[in-house]
Amino acid sequence: MRKGPFVALATATAALGTVLGALALQLDADGYGQYVDSVATFSVLMFITSALVMVTWLRDGRPHAD
């Protein structure tokens, strides 16, 4: 299968995870500690999603047994 859609989706979700991680740090610095946990959790979920997309692409590229 072509790797374009997989790479684009993995890159976009990793970028979103990075932006959310930076937002969590900024929220903590600005004193909005009540929101840091939820934003940081969502950031980690985006990195996990990105990794799972890449695993899906790798598994899809393997030959299928009949």
Side-chain angles (χ1 to χ4, degrees), residues 1-59:
M1 185 172 212
R2 293 184 356 220
K3 65 179 177 178
F6 288 104
V7 173
L9 182 61
T11 303
T13 54
L16 181 59
T18 302
V19 169
L20 288 171
L23 176 63
L25 292 174
Q26 187 64 40
L27 286 172
D28 191 36
D30 290 343
Y32 292 102
Q34 62 205 17
Y35 303 111
V36 171
D37 286 340
S38 60
V39 173
T41 300
F42 195 65
S43 173
V44 169
L45 286 176
M46 289 299 100
F47 283 118
I48 292 171
T49 302
S50 178
L52 289 175
V53 167
M54 291 310 294
V55 167
T56 302
W57 172 61
L58 289 172
R59 289 182 54 89

